[in-house]
Amino acid sequence: MGPGKHLQGLSLMNGIVTPEEFDYFHELVISQEITRCAARGYGDGLNAGCVIGLPPVLNFGSPELKARVVPDVLGGKKFICLAVSEAHAGSDIFGLQTTATKTEDGKHWIVNGHKKWITNGMFADYFTVGCKTEDGFTVILVERQEGVSTKPIKTSYSPTAGTAYITFDEVKVPVENTLGEEGGGIFVMLSVNEQQFQSRTMGNVLYVRT
Ligand SMILES: Cc1cc2nc3c(=O)[nH]c(=O)nc-3n(C[C@H](O)[C@H](O)[C@H](O)COP(=O)(O)OP(=O)(O)OC[C@H]3O[C@@H](n4cnc5c(N)ncnc54)[C@H](O)[C@@H]3O)c2cc1C
């Protein structure tokens, strides 16, 4: 997730480093320290869903959505995951089949479909979901509710990663939970953080790291 505004006002690691000082080197140290426990699935269980699922909210969520979601996730009270891959589409994200269609009044999305291999999906409260919409590919933050079910997938590492098969069955989501532009989901998925997003945006050309 890197440094940035989302850390302002927080107390990091008992104050060893201030939010203003925190940079990618500190993040690298954290990643390496987690790896030292030599249990990859456990490490992924701690924060893998957050580091890939939260940046789209940080970078593209509305101020209201961020105020509701981000403090709880960074505070460890709620969990989030990134739900893009499906049984039929992994790298080929334009081939995914989960759909989001607008209700007649335009106030909600109705999400239907399945996601596979979703790290932390078993215990996630929030799902950053890649959906097929009328305009193309759109990313929507779905909250755990009626119609969302998760079941464990056996992996070669550990069930502590919470790897899940997810079903969305007629899940109603407010349009305010859309992350970025409708149809602009590819930029949401591939951007890294706000600073990098801006530095890669030059005129009409968007440079993204893949
Ligand atoms: C442990 C684990 C955790 C995961 N966690 C998540 C998660 O949290 N969220 C999520 O959304 N997904 C997750 N995934 C899914 C992961 O993102 C996909 O497995 C990945 O995108 C690859 O997709 P695929 O498995 O469908 O393989 P494919 O896309 O079918 O790829 C199969 C092979 O073909 C190659 N290939 C694919 N396309 C091309 C191309 N155009 N040109 C040349 N070669 C190509 C690939 O390199 C690969 O070797 C997880 C997977 C694993 C194993």
Side-chain angles (χ1 to χ4, degrees):
M1 288 180 287
K5 282 187 284 190
H6 58 286
L7 299 179
Q8 275 172 14
L10 298 182
S11 168
L12 306 178
M13 297 171 281
N14 285 335
I16 299 171
V17 56
T18 66
E20 292 72 29
E21 288 167 335
F22 187 90
D23 61 19
Y24 287 105
F25 178 72
H26 296 104
E27 193 167 272
L28 180 136
V29 172
I30 293 171
S31 300
Q32 290 195 333
E33 287 301 310
I34 289 173
T35 309
R36 272 154 56 97
C37 71
R40 175 79 202 281
Y42 175 74
D44 278 2
L46 286 178
N47 66 356
C50 181
V51 298
I52 56 178
L54 193 62
V57 180
L58 290 168
N59 298 334
F60 297 96
S62 68
E64 295 75 24
L65 191 72
K66 283 194 274 194
R68 188 158 56 80
V69 172
V70 176
D72 279 353
V73 172
L74 290 181
K77 294 180 188 143
K78 295 263 174 91
F79 293 90
I80 191 166
C81 65
L82 181 73
V84 178
S85 303
E86 302 180 357
H88 306 284
S91 328
D92 175 26
I93 59 172
F94 280 111
L96 55 82
Q97 295 175 8
T98 294
T99 57
T101 46
K102 287 251 181 83
T103 51
E104 268 183 29
D105 62 10
K107 290 184 177 166
H108 291 88
W109 293 107
I110 302 295
V111 180
N112 279 295
H114 305 273
K115 296 290 177 183
K116 200 172 180 189
W117 307 114
I118 307 307
T119 308
N120 296 182
M122 284 310 297
F123 47 80
D125 303 284
Y126 299 112
F127 304 82
T128 300
V129 185
C131 298
K132 205 169 164 178
T133 53
E134 207 179 1
D135 294 327
F137 174 63
T138 304
V139 183
I140 299 169
L141 185 76
V142 177
E143 304 181 36
R144 194 181 278 273
Q145 57 182 291
E146 199 183 333
V148 177
S149 54
T150 48
K151 63 178 184 181
I153 295 179
K154 192 165 169 34
T155 62
S156 57
Y157 65 169
S158 163
T160 52
T163 311
Y165 183 86
I166 305 174
T167 302
F168 299 108
D169 181 12
E170 296 289 304
V171 181
K172 200 172 176 181
V173 183
V175 289
E176 289 77 14
N177 282 29
T178 309
L179 302 174
E181 298 288 322
E182 284 181 42
I186 190 73
F187 301 119
V188 176
M189 282 300 164
L190 297 181
S191 71
V192 184
N193 82 13
E194 196 176 13
Q195 265 173 331
Q196 294 185 356
F197 181 77
Q198 283 166 359
S199 67
R200 284 176 163 76
T201 308
M202 298 169 68
N204 291 326
V205 184
L206 178 66
Y207 295 90
V208 287
R209 193 169 74 186
T210 56

